[in-house]
Amino acid sequence: QGTYPTVFLSFAGIKADNLEDAKSQIKLQIAGLYEQNRYLLETNLLSDNEKNMYQSMTMTMSDVECCAAINQMCLYLSRYYKKNVIVLLDEYDTPLLEAYTDGYWEEMIGTCRQLFHAAFKENAYYSRAIITGVTRVTKNSLFSDLNNIEVDTVTCDAYSDCFGFTEEEVIDALQCQNVQEF
């Protein structure tokens, strides 16, 4: 913890009944990421052109800028910290589920595919990424062009000792509370 620069975005709040509002909400999240890392503008690591690009990452950024934004932030952070970045994307699927419900699935899947392709496939400046959501990631869908993707669900044993409670821990906790039947 604290040894790698980290890009964290949550799409949990991307809930809109139309494509334009959903894209605006995504842009708001990305603009917030750039605000959090504004100290990068005070360094000599960014060229004048990069500083101009950085400052254009606002709510009014174009769709093209939005799709490149995570990749660019990883470049800037990697350069600053001299280490590749960890990317955490929480609830990647919320805007997709909203789009499915409200009838703009095709457009949103295209937007997310471009964003994720630039952020994860074409990005040489991150060391690893963790993408969470309630919808199972399939290798032949939104993430089909990503390499070395590993899908773990809550029923997988791979990380059962890292998150939540193991069966043994639950039994021990119940016994500590004198609960005999379980």
Side-chain angles (χ1 to χ4, degrees):
Q1 181 178 355
T3 60
Y4 283 87
T6 303
V7 167
F8 171 73
L9 287 169
S10 175
F11 284 178
I14 314 295
K15 296 180 184 249
D17 60 6
N18 64 75
L19 179 65
E20 289 310 312
D21 286 349
K23 288 196 300 190
S24 291
Q25 291 173 4
I26 291 170
K27 290 175 184 182
L28 180 63
Q29 290 293 314
I30 290 173
L33 172 68
Y34 275 73
E35 278 300 312
Q36 292 168 4
N37 293 288
R38 221 162 161 71
Y39 62 90
L40 294 168
L41 289 172
E42 307 301 320
T43 70
N44 293 327
L45 294 172
L46 303 181
S47 69
D48 289 340
N49 188 41
E50 287 172 325
K51 286 180 181 181
N52 288 335
M53 287 189 307
Y54 193 107
Q55 291 173 329
S56 72
M57 297 301 176
T58 66
M59 281 283 304
T60 60
M61 73 180 92
S62 71
D63 291 352
V64 172
E65 289 171 317
C66 180
C67 287
I70 297 171
N71 187 316
Q72 284 300 118
M73 180 54 70
C74 288
L75 164 65
Y76 302 152
L77 290 170
S78 177
R79 193 182 296 162
Y80 183 83
Y81 289 101
K82 297 177 177 45
K83 206 177 246 198
N84 280 350
V85 177
I86 293 175
V87 179
L88 306 173
L89 177 57
D90 187 33
E91 296 201 39
Y92 81 92
D93 55 348
T94 299
L96 294 167
L97 296 171
E98 292 292 315
Y100 183 78
T101 302
D102 290 313
Y104 59 97
W105 168 262
E106 290 300 324
E107 297 88 349
M108 181 54 80
I109 197 79
T111 297
C112 287
R113 188 173 284 125
Q114 290 172 346
L115 179 70
F116 298 161
H117 181 83
F120 303 115
K121 176 72 174 178
E122 298 296 323
N123 189 345
Y125 305 103
Y126 80 98
S127 61
R128 64 191 55 187
I130 298 175
I131 305 167
T132 66
V134 296
T135 307
R136 181 173 168 80
V137 173
T138 59
K139 294 180 183 179
N140 61 353
S141 68
L142 182 61
F143 300 105
S144 62
D145 62 346
L146 299 185
N147 298 328
N148 303 318
I149 190 168
E150 181 180 320
V151 177
D152 289 303
T153 67
V154 294
T155 60
C156 293
D157 289 334
Y159 300 102
S160 64
D161 61 342
C162 300
F163 304 103
F165 300 100
T166 64
E167 184 176 351
E168 183 179 313
E169 290 169 330
V170 170
I171 291 170
D172 288 345
L174 291 171
Q175 288 174 344
C176 285
Q177 297 299 316
N178 294 321
V179 176
Q180 301 302 320
E181 295 179 33
F182 37 85

